[in-house]
């Protein structure tokens, strides 16, 4: 008996940008930033917003042939009340004083804009010499609050992205490319769904 072949099952993800495409685009933005700060006496401080921006920050600064310093902030957001926009607070603050310094916020993604609006307000109160933001991904279609955003690597539609620092429930930050998840409910039910297609089948390490 032969079975009729149905259409092939759609992959549960789509590669939005390969590692090489990400590298090229990050280098373009790194060049933009380098031009802005190359003649400054004091180096700019690039502030990575933990944790999603870490891979982007690492590649960005290595593509900037100027003096830079780095620092990190961690923030958390929570729903104040049902149907209210989320409230953001600082979990880890900067180690640098930024008064009088050029500061660049480095984000992996700007979505509703609430996080960036909060960060900008908080950092501007410390009176930096200048404040700019660079984001790997700009999901402008989802913006709730208008926010200044000077540099973006990619603008994306309303898709859920993992890889290159971005996660789903802690998984997939180390995927080298940018990957859009096609079926989020299915991934929520099976959080490790993309492990085999993205990393290859797990090695057999003996029966347990
Ligand atoms: C992401 C991203 C931004 C924020 C943007 O962080 O790094 O900080 O969401 O969203 P918004 O524009 O809607 O405020 P996330 O909470 O996923 O934390 P992570 O970087 O540690 O994964």
């Amino acid at each position: 008996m032969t079975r009729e072949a149905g259409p092939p099952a759609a992959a549960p993800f789509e590669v939005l940008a390969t590692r090489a495409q990400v590298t090229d685009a990050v280098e373009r933005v790194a060049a933009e930033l380098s031009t802005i700060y190359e003649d400054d006496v004091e180096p700019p401080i690039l502030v990575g917003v933990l944790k999603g921006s870490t891979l982007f920050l690492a590649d960005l600064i290595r593509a900037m042939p100027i003096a830079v310093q780095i620092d990190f902030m961690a923030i958390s957001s929570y729903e104040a009340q049902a149907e209210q926009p989320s409230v953001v607070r600082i979990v880890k603050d900067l180690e640098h004083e930024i008064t009088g310094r050029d500061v660049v916020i480095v984000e992996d993604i700007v979505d509703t804009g609430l996080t960036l609006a909060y960060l900008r307000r908080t950092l501007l109160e410390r009176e930096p010499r200048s404040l700019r933001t660079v984001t790997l991904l700009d999901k402008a279609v989802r913006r709730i609050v208008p926010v200044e955003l000077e540099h973006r690597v990619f603008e994306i539609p309303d898709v859920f992205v993992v890889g290159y620092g971005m996660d789903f429930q802690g998984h997939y930050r180390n995927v080298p490319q940018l990957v859009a998840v096609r079926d989020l409910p299915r991934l929520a039910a099976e959080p490790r769904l993309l492990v085999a297609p993205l990393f290859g089948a797990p090695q057999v390490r003996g029966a347990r």
Side-chain angles (χ1 to χ4, degrees):
M1 190 174 81
T2 54
R3 286 172 59 188
E4 275 186 36
F13 66 88
E14 176 188 355
V15 175
L16 290 181
T18 63
R19 181 74 176 88
Q21 289 168 331
V22 172
T23 300
D24 285 352
V26 169
E27 286 176 356
R28 172 181 53 76
V29 172
E32 276 174 30
L33 285 168
S34 301
T35 304
I36 291 170
Y37 300 109
E38 64 189 350
D39 295 327
D40 285 5
V41 176
E42 282 200 286
I45 303 173
L46 277 76
V47 174
V49 184
L50 296 171
K51 312 182 182 76
S53 70
T54 47
L55 276 65
F56 175 40
L57 176 70
D59 285 345
L60 184 71
I61 59 174
R62 279 181 290 188
M64 293 177 68
I66 63 168
V68 300
Q69 292 180 317
I70 64 170
D71 206 335
F72 294 94
M73 286 182 93
I75 50 100
S76 81
S77 57
Y78 57 93
E79 300 295 318
Q81 290 171 4
E83 295 172 20
Q84 291 275 314
S86 52
V87 174
V88 180
R89 71 187 171 87
I90 295 175
V91 176
K92 181 215 171 295
D93 207 339
L94 297 176
E95 292 176 9
H96 286 81
E97 293 288 336
I98 61 165
T99 305
R101 300 292 302 272
D102 293 307
V103 175
V104 182
I105 298 170
V106 181
E107 269 286 22
D108 53 337
I109 185 164
V110 180
D111 188 330
T112 64
L114 290 164
T115 305
L116 181 56
Y118 171 81
L119 281 172
R120 283 188 53 85
R121 245 190 348 265
T122 303
L123 297 184
L124 283 171
E125 283 169 6
R126 303 178 193 183
E127 301 186 345
R129 177 168 180 256
S130 68
L131 180 63
R132 306 178 80 85
T133 301
V134 57
T135 187
L136 177 69
L137 302 181
D138 180 8
K139 207 189 273 187
V141 68
R142 289 252 310 161
R143 207 74 92 241
I144 290 176
V145 291
V147 69
E148 285 181 55
L149 177 52
E150 291 82 4
H151 306 271
R152 63 185 57 70
V153 179
F154 298 109
E155 181 162 344
I156 59 164
D158 188 9
V159 290
F160 190 89
V161 177
V162 298
Y164 200 66
M166 282 163 285
D167 74 314
F168 178 77
Q169 296 182 359
H171 297 290
Y172 310 119
R173 291 195 197 272
N174 59 327
V175 171
Q177 57 274 64
L178 287 170
V179 171
V181 177
R182 283 210 179 105
D183 190 342
L184 207 48
R186 191 170 159 213
L187 186 61
E190 301 171 60
R192 299 180 68 82
L193 174 70
L194 307 183
V195 170
L198 288 173
F199 296 112
Q203 300 293 315
V204 177
R205 296 194 183 87
R208 292 196 180 173

